[in-house]
Amino acid sequence: MEEKWHNLFILDSCRADIFKEIYPEFPLLRESVYQDKESSSSSSPEFVEKNFCGKYFGDCILISANPYPATMSPDAFYYRFDAWSHLFDKHVNNVRPEDIHEVFMAYRNRFPEKRIIVWFMQPHIPFITAPHLFEDYNFESRTKEIANEGTASSSYRNIWEKVLDGEVESNEVWEGYKGDLRLVLDIIAKNHSPGLGQTVITADHGEICKRFLGVKLFGHPSRIRDRELITVPWLVLKGDLPDTVSEKNCDHSAADMSELNETLKKFGYWD
């Protein structure tokens, strides 16, 4: 939060090495300034805990497709728009990047004196560009089993675990991951202008899929200091850095906790 930006775009679960492979495909992004950064966290809850919890940013608006800020730090910002609630598309089990970017543009025009964080879900599963990989994903029933019985009797497993067990081709899943990364970067590149203010593209954490000392490491478990999980992109799109105004928290209704939990299930957070 202490870095110089007017807009901060967080790409959920975006590995730095894959970002570096993909972003030069977009001329505007290729001309921007890139560096690797080390995240404080290897999961979204840990990221929210370490960056937002117990703090208040009266000069900043959060527009988030990830529901963890609403559960863990609901009053940390001047205003919070819960894209996970208002924009969730049941056809793709995700929030489309073009939809959340439209909200960003509306808020940027309305609040030029505020910094804005936009937390996209891409390239987090489920992939919009590879829906066939998630045809057997029943997020809700599995979570109910865990909540009611303490364990899951269904055969569902995370797509990354299926890769490690040889049930799904690794290249196919990583291509889906890259496809969704291209999807969100295309939206950002097409709509950016210096007049929107200096914009940084980064991530909360990375993604992992490997065995280490016989242990399966997949997804993004908390508090794992592996370079694949904590090395994140930091791409600066040059623009203005206007003075910002810090104000008291804007009135907004409390998030419905049952709805929050349903959305967490759909994004594959079981606990």
Side-chain angles (χ1 to χ4, degrees), residues 236-265:
V236 180
L237 283 62
K238 292 294 185 181
D240 300 329
L241 283 168
D243 292 336
T244 58
V245 178
S246 182
E247 299 176 83
K248 181 182 176 182
N249 188 279
C250 181
D251 291 335
H252 55 77
S253 59
D256 182 274
M257 291 305 295
S258 63
E259 187 178 6
L260 279 167
N261 291 333
E262 291 299 310
T263 306
L264 287 168
K265 296 172 189 176

Side-chain angles (χ1 to χ4, degrees), residues 11-243:
L11 309 185
D12 204 300
S13 309
C14 186
R15 285 172 54 134
D17 56 348
I18 295 181
F19 184 91
K20 284 188 286 189
E21 175 188 338
I22 301 300
Y23 89 84
E25 297 176 6
F26 302 90
L28 173 70
L29 306 184
R30 186 169 62 241
E31 297 166 1
S32 302
V33 180
Y34 177 87
Q35 63 176 308
D36 285 349
K37 288 268 191 176
E38 184 175 303
S39 176
S40 62
S41 317
S42 60
S43 70
S44 297
E46 186 184 0
F47 182 85
V48 173
E49 173 193 339
K50 292 183 176 178
N51 289 283
F52 305 146
C53 285
K55 303 174 184 177
Y56 178 65
F57 307 100
D59 70 336
C60 189
I61 292 169
L62 173 69
I63 303 169
S64 181
N66 187 309
Y68 271 113
T71 65
M72 297 176 63
S73 57
D75 300 317
F77 301 92
Y78 169 72
Y79 188 79
R80 191 190 76 247
F81 179 88
D82 293 332
W84 53 267
S85 173
H86 301 294
L87 302 178
F88 193 85
D89 189 331
K90 293 181 179 179
H91 294 97
V92 295
N93 271 329
N94 217 321
V95 175
R96 295 180 183 272
E98 60 268 33
D99 292 343
I100 194 171
H101 196 278
E102 283 187 11
V103 173
F104 160 70
M105 292 297 289
Y107 275 80
R108 173 44 67 221
N109 291 330
R110 172 66 178 81
F111 296 99
E113 77 284 2
K114 301 295 184 186
R115 296 189 297 166
I116 298 180
I117 298 173
V118 185
W119 192 329
F120 296 90
M121 277 308 293
Q122 291 71 38
H124 192 288
I125 62 169
F127 306 139
I128 294 174
T129 57
H132 64 283
L133 293 174
F134 304 92
E135 290 174 349
D136 63 339
Y137 273 43
N138 191 328
F139 297 113
E140 184 174 5
S141 64
R142 175 174 170 84
T143 308
K144 285 181 178 179
E145 289 174 3
I146 294 173
N148 297 330
E149 303 170 21
T151 185
S153 59
S154 66
S155 59
Y156 169 82
R157 291 196 312 288
N158 185 290
I159 192 71
W160 299 109
E161 185 178 14
K162 291 181 180 181
V163 169
L164 290 176
D165 289 345
E167 298 176 30
V168 182
E169 287 293 329
S170 175
N171 288 343
E172 186 177 12
V173 179
W174 284 116
E175 282 306 309
Y177 181 95
K178 293 176 183 178
D180 270 30
L181 179 54
R182 289 187 176 96
L183 194 66
V184 65
L185 291 181
D186 182 57
I187 296 297
I188 294 171
K190 281 181 177 178
N191 293 281
H192 178 75
S193 70
L196 294 174
Q198 183 154 296
T199 299
V200 169
I201 305 174
T202 188
D204 51 345
H205 54 76
E207 194 79 61
I208 197 167
C209 185
K210 66 182 180 182
R211 292 179 184 270
F212 181 73
L213 298 178
V215 177
K216 290 187 288 189
L217 295 176
F218 57 89
H220 33 272
S222 294
R223 294 174 171 81
I224 302 293
R225 304 302 293 173
D226 187 286
R227 62 179 179 80
E228 296 176 19
L229 284 170
I230 62 172
T231 307
V232 295
W234 189 266
L235 185 72
V236 180
L237 283 62
K238 292 294 185 181
D240 300 329
L241 283 168
D243 292 336

